Structures are given as structure tokens and as C-alpha cells.
Amino acid sequence: MGQWKARLAELGIELPAVAAPVAAYVPAVRTGDLVYTSGQLPFVDGALPLTGKVGGPVDADQAKAAARTCALNALAAIDALVGLDSVVRIVKLVGFVASADGFTGQPGVINGASELMGEIFGDAGVHARSAVGVAELPLAAPVEVEVIVEVR
């Protein structure tokens, strides 16, 4: 077992099955030493347990937990493509938050994904990031996360 898989086991975290794409794309693509994931929704067992806009029917804590789920789904896509233990570092994380009018807490929501990267990867999990509020996301998901990682 490699370093990152061992860390997951130590934290008691299991990667989910790779979420099936909802349109014409693949979950992750490698080019050179980088892997780019497609935007990952907070699917759990193929379903969205939570829908709606953050700052409306979805509160910021629920959305933060959903962002963590999105990040786990992104890691599952990376693992399926190249193996999680080939990850050198998390380069960038981009989070989209379906935001009700007036909601400005997008950075706190996307911390759910960023904090997970730190828990798992330590210093290699420190990354550049964008947290963007949007009007709508696919399937009425409250959050979506994409990740870029450097791999060996």
C-alpha cells in the first residue's frame, strides 16, 4: 500500500466508486504530469442527497460537507485513472457554489474540499484555489468541485 492509500486507511476514509458522467465527458484526463478532473458533483451511491441553492434551502455547513464529498469523488476519478499513490501534489482546486441571492460565503463552503486535501496530503495538499458563486449547477447540485494534480 502506497503513502496516500495508507493515509486514507489511517483516516478511515474510503474512496467511492467513480461517479458516472452525466453528459459527454470522462471523469479525468492526464496530460504530461498533470491530471485534470471533470467537475464532480456530491454524488453518494449514484444519487444527490442534497439539492438546491446555498444560502437558501441548503445551509453553508451542509454545502461544506457536500464539497468534501465532491473532493472524494474527484480523488476517486484520479485513483481510477492513474492510482492515487502517483499523486505528487494537489495543484489547484476550483469550486462552484450554486448561490442564493446575497450569499457570499463561497470560500467557506469550498473549504470542505480544501481541508480534505490537507488532511490526506499534508503539505502536498496545499493548493491554489478559486471559489465561485453561480446561478445554477447541473441536476440542481449545491456544489461542484474540480481538481488538478501533479503525478509521477
Side-chain angles (χ1 to χ4, degrees), residues 47-118:
L48 287 176
L50 186 65
T51 58
K53 292 187 178 185
V54 184
V58 178
D59 72 35
D61 288 336
Q62 292 172 306
K64 183 177 179 179
R68 180 182 174 93
T69 300
C70 292
L72 284 170
N73 288 336
L75 293 176
I78 293 163
D79 188 47
L81 183 67
V82 298
L84 197 64
D85 286 318
S86 68
V87 171
V88 173
R89 73 165 295 122
I90 308 301
V91 176
K92 184 161 187 185
L93 189 144
V94 180
F96 303 94
V97 180
S99 301
D101 286 346
F103 180 76
T104 58
Q106 294 83 5
V109 168
I110 300 306
N111 277 348
S114 292
E115 290 168 2
L116 177 72
M117 297 306 177

Side-chain angles (χ1 to χ4, degrees), residues 13-75:
I13 296 172
E14 272 188 52
L15 290 181
V18 178
V22 297
Y25 61 89
V26 294
V29 173
R30 180 179 183 164
T31 182
D33 292 338
L34 296 175
V35 171
Y36 293 75
T37 72
S38 294
Q40 300 292 313
L41 300 179
F43 283 117
V44 175
D45 297 326
L48 287 176
L50 186 65
T51 58
K53 292 187 178 185
V54 184
V58 178
D59 72 35
D61 288 336
Q62 292 172 306
K64 183 177 179 179
R68 180 182 174 93
T69 300
C70 292
L72 284 170
N73 288 336
L75 293 176

